Amino acid sequence: MARRLTVFGTGYLGTTHAVCLAELGYEVLGLDIDPVRVAALAAGRLPFFEPGLEDLLRAGLDRGRLRFTTSYEEAAAFADTHFVCVGTPQRGDGYAADLSQLHACIDTLAPLLHSPCLVVGKCTVPVGTAEQISERLSQLSPAGSGAELAWNPEFLREGYAVRDTLHPDRIVAGTRSPRASALLREIYARPLADGTPFLVTDFATAELVKVAANAFLATKISFINAMAEVCEATGADVTMLSEALSHDDRIGGRYLGPGLGFGGGCLPKDIRAFMARADELGVDQALSFLREVDAINMRRRARMVDLARELAGGSFEGRVVGVLGAAFKPNSDDIRDSPALDVAQTIHGLGARVTVYDPAAVPNARRAHPELEYATSALDAARDAHILLLLTEWPEFADADPEVLGKAVAERNMVDGRGALDPERWRAASWHYRALGRP
Ligand code: UGA
């Protein structure tokens, strides 16, 4: 009989993890406290856009390997290995992470754990959290210290969630016993057989790997965007600069893409929570550079608004602005801390009529920003616009025909916030083309 596993929390991480564990051949029960979400998943409907995941969800359901529930009692009794994938968003009142979902999950689950088991934390948490959770777990569980904790951070990217989960580039296991490490090795046997490195660490190191990775990626993006600021002051081209840097193997080209900067549910909140935690630990100086990383990132959004205003003739009053892109990145319908929507909303606030189009994120964007107008195609968003902004680099925007869009707009002004377009092609079609970090 296949090993049974549970997954607590069916957000992005939890849903992907549950579906992929079923794909690896396990019997999986996913739990969420939201009955609407559970019903949607049980009916084979993903509550978010992620390429390839819905097919695997349906396959898991059809094979009878995957189920969903709202009952902690059912989940606790179902398996003896439980993955915790609840959300740890930024707190409303500051930079720190809000751990209330994690605490609620552990406090509800632990009293139901009557026999030895492994609880595996996967969410992104401030360093030191696992230590506390481990104590709480053994205090509240009738199994006492038999209810063991492990910390196994997740590195999946939205848009590549299935690939990143089934073929991760490393698996980090923060464990306290050989038994826990052996169990995780067994569960991840397939990726390990494909050569994925398996690193056994203590709790604190496992927690830190995750936030350090996101802090590094954010730093790399802000580095090239700082260079974009210098390019703007000197007439240099940051796209060429980035490409030239990327040929140095020591630097590499990934996460060196200049533009409107990073957003989403992870990088921004993770660097802030990391700074808040460093402050508590008395090592705030060690991470003070992250304040600058955050500031550079936010300045890109302001610069985008300034460039657009310049092209709009100095003011947005009475101007029509078409926005291409609402998601925080392509291949996603996620609008959490989306640079695109931040810019769109600011420009709307400055008096423009703003119409947004995104291939996947319009329903989410409309719910969060009903004050903006929405279009059903790029062409529709371009209609009568005095200025067009490319804010999320979906492939269909990069491929758009400047002549076709040119016939729809009132004036041929384009600001490319993602360096996604070929300037020569757009200028040849009589567009006034501007881009962040480019002459
Ligand atoms: C990020 C990390 O890449 C994952 O490894 C991590 O597991 C995840 O956060 C998480 O903590 O859960 P994700 O938020 O899905 O994944 O997004 P990324 O693909 O990393 O992109 C983040 C942002 O950076 C996007 O807004 C993207 O447009 C921007 N970006 C990315 C750039 O501006 N330039 C680049 O060169 C790359």
Side-chain angles (χ1 to χ4, degrees):
M1 207 174 74
R3 176 184 288 285
R4 293 174 151 204
L5 303 168
T6 68
V7 175
F8 288 79
T10 59
Y12 222 104
L13 165 61
T15 300
T16 307
H17 195 59
V19 168
C20 289
L21 286 174
E23 180 64 19
L24 289 175
Y26 301 111
E27 255 193 73
V28 183
L29 181 60
L31 174 139
D32 204 289
I33 55 170
D34 176 357
V36 177
R37 186 167 274 255
V38 164
L41 287 167
R45 282 195 313 277
L46 261 194
F48 51 83
F49 173 90
E50 177 62 42
L53 190 60
E54 198 163 75
D55 288 346
L56 291 190
L57 166 69
R58 296 210 174 119
L61 294 168
D62 289 347
R63 290 182 187 132
R65 281 200 210 133
L66 184 58
R67 286 192 303 114
F68 295 91
T69 183
T70 54
S71 162
Y72 267 82
E73 286 77 10
E74 187 188 356
F78 180 79
D80 55 16
T81 308
H82 306 285
F83 287 93
V84 177
C85 298
V86 295
T88 52
Q90 185 175 334
R91 282 172 65 125
D93 61 356
Y95 271 12
D98 172 358
L99 298 180
S100 57
Q101 292 179 46
L102 177 60
H103 289 139
C105 176
I106 296 298
D107 286 6
T108 315
L109 174 63
L112 304 169
L113 299 173
H114 292 276
S115 46
C117 58
L118 187 67
V119 175
V120 187
K122 284 198 80 66
C123 27
T124 304
V125 291
V127 55
T129 304
E131 181 73 49
Q132 287 170 12
I133 296 287
S134 167
E135 269 171 41
R136 184 108 184 123
L137 189 61
S138 46
Q139 265 167 20
L140 294 180
S141 164
S145 58
E148 193 181 341
L149 186 76
W151 213 265
N152 168 222
E154 177 58 53
F155 306 100
L156 70 82
R157 293 160 300 168
E158 295 185 13
Y160 302 90
V162 173
R163 193 202 147 278
D164 285 353
T165 305
L166 292 176
H167 308 282
D169 46 22
R170 78 283 211 192
I171 294 173
V172 175
T175 56
R176 285 247 164 106
S177 75
R179 183 186 82 99
S181 308
L183 189 54
L184 286 173
R185 262 183 206 284
E186 211 181 296
I187 290 168
Y188 293 122
R190 203 159 97 192
L192 294 182
D194 295 339
T196 302
F198 186 81
L199 293 100
V200 176
T201 70
D202 51 54
F203 285 170
T205 306
E207 293 167 316
L208 269 176
V209 175
K210 170 65 195 227
V211 282
N214 277 358
F216 189 84
L217 296 172
T219 303
K220 223 177 152 187
I221 297 168
S222 277
F223 175 85
I224 199 64
N225 284 333
M227 294 305 111
E229 292 188 20
V230 180
C231 286
E232 281 155 14
T234 55
D237 184 338
V238 74
T239 314
M240 288 309 298
L241 175 67
S242 164
E243 192 191 333
L245 290 175
S246 76
H247 293 297
D248 184 331
D249 283 347
R250 296 168 304 172
I251 298 174
R254 298 177 75 192
Y255 285 78
L256 208 60
L260 197 50
F262 57 84
C266 303
L267 262 44
K269 69 119 172 141
D270 285 357
I271 60 167
R272 290 173 193 154
F274 201 12
M275 284 187 270
R277 185 66 184 132
D279 220 359
E280 288 168 9
L281 293 167
V283 286
D284 50 315
Q285 269 192 325
L287 297 190
S288 60
F289 73 97
L290 287 180
R291 214 165 280 284
E292 204 49 52
V293 166
D294 201 2
I296 293 165
N297 193 53
M298 299 309 283
R299 277 208 298 275
R300 287 291 78 189
R301 302 181 188 186
R303 173 70 183 153
M304 186 73 204
V305 174
D306 287 346
L307 259 184
R309 187 176 15 224
E310 219 177 290
L311 276 196
S315 162
F316 287 116
E317 277 310 328
R319 309 300 273 174
V320 177
V321 177
V323 166
L324 304 181
F328 84 102
K329 65 172 185 181
N331 279 318
S332 171
D333 67 352
D334 195 340
I335 55 152
R336 285 177 294 171
D337 202 351
S338 164
L341 275 181
D342 196 1
V343 167
Q345 185 197 17
T346 303
I347 291 177
H348 167 82
L350 292 169
R353 208 187 98 202
V354 179
T355 304
V356 180
Y357 169 68
D358 187 285
V362 165
N364 286 341
R366 195 194 298 277
R367 259 191 301 278
H369 293 284
E371 73 280 11
L372 303 175
E373 291 175 34
Y374 293 93
T376 52
S377 67
L379 193 60
D380 198 15
R383 202 134 354 249
D384 302 327
H386 297 106
I387 173 161
L388 209 52
L389 310 179
L390 191 157
L391 302 183
T392 312
E393 69 280 29
W394 285 90
E396 70 169 73
F397 300 154
D399 298 341
D401 186 334
E403 271 308 333
V404 174
L405 288 183
K407 293 204 175 86
V409 294
E411 290 173 23
R412 295 192 176 196
N413 291 315
M414 164 65 83
V415 190
D416 180 358
R418 294 291 181 180
L421 303 175
D422 175 357
E424 280 176 24
R425 187 164 168 242
W426 285 73
R427 285 182 180 138
S430 306
W431 282 76
H432 194 185
Y433 172 91
R434 299 290 300 272
L436 291 173
R438 280 175 144 181

